[in-house]
Amino acid sequence: MLKNIDPALNADVLHALRSMGHGDTLVISDTNFPSDAIARKTTLGTLLRIDNVSAARAVEAVLSVLPLDTPLQPSAGRMEVMGAPDEVLPVQQEVQAVIDRAEGKSEPMYGIERFKFYEEAKKAYCVITTGETRFYGCFLFTKGVIPPKT
């Protein structure tokens, strides 16, 4: 255990998050996402896991240490529901609430069509799969910066 580090964050996940740079993206996926196959195409090239937790819980852990990118570009995306791209499912609502708490304000997610999400995921730095069993529990986050203390 480490002080002030969410216990859901294992050493491999922490190393990947620390290694990412500004503008790099990461995927947090549900159990149905082709995580291993997609992860092999990412910069890291191997699948990371935060097992036995919901997508919202994994996002909460990740956002406890990862800054999201500035409002100049969208920094949190969700996989759209096929045939209903504007529908926001409960799993996505839960993650939206986590993002808003982490950012201290409303930071709405943008939608990404399912097959485009797969293509964007292949360009990500890494994929973290969770124990989320609900459909469309897949998210893409862009890392921001931590400004210097003045």
Side-chain angles (χ1 to χ4, degrees):
M1 292 293 292
L2 297 171
K3 291 172 62 174
N4 303 318
I5 300 289
D6 190 306
L9 298 174
N10 60 56
D12 293 333
V13 170
L14 282 169
H15 182 265
L17 297 175
R18 176 62 179 95
S19 298
M20 290 174 64
H22 179 221
D24 282 340
T25 60
L26 72 97
V27 172
I28 295 182
S29 71
D30 62 32
T31 57
N32 290 297
F33 188 73
S35 300
D36 188 62
I38 298 285
R40 290 172 193 249
K41 295 174 171 47
T42 64
T43 301
L44 188 62
T46 188
L47 179 61
L48 300 173
R49 308 184 76 84
I50 300 179
D51 288 319
N52 302 317
V53 300
S54 68
R57 177 65 183 99
V59 170
E60 177 183 37
V62 168
L63 294 185
S64 74
V65 296
L66 183 88
L68 290 178
D69 207 356
T70 66
L72 299 176
Q73 68 176 20
S75 58
R78 62 173 177 78
M79 182 186 286
E80 292 177 348
V81 176
M82 289 185 68
D86 295 327
E87 184 177 356
V88 180
L89 299 174
V91 64
Q92 297 170 336
Q93 293 169 13
E94 291 169 18
V95 168
Q96 182 65 67
V98 169
I99 293 166
D100 293 349
R101 277 193 309 275
E103 294 298 296
K105 62 182 185 221
S106 179
E107 290 288 340
M109 285 186 284
Y110 62 97
I112 308 168
E113 186 274 330
R114 178 181 165 206
F115 295 106
K116 179 148 176 53
F117 189 98
Y118 292 153
E119 292 309 309
E120 291 300 312
K122 292 174 188 175
K123 300 176 199 172
Y125 185 86
C126 63
V127 175
I128 302 170
T129 195
T130 70
E132 182 61 67
T133 58
R134 293 174 288 179
F135 296 151
Y136 297 99
C138 299
F139 306 90
L140 184 73
F141 296 97
T142 303
K143 185 176 183 179
V145 298
I146 298 173
K149 293 181 181 177
T150 55

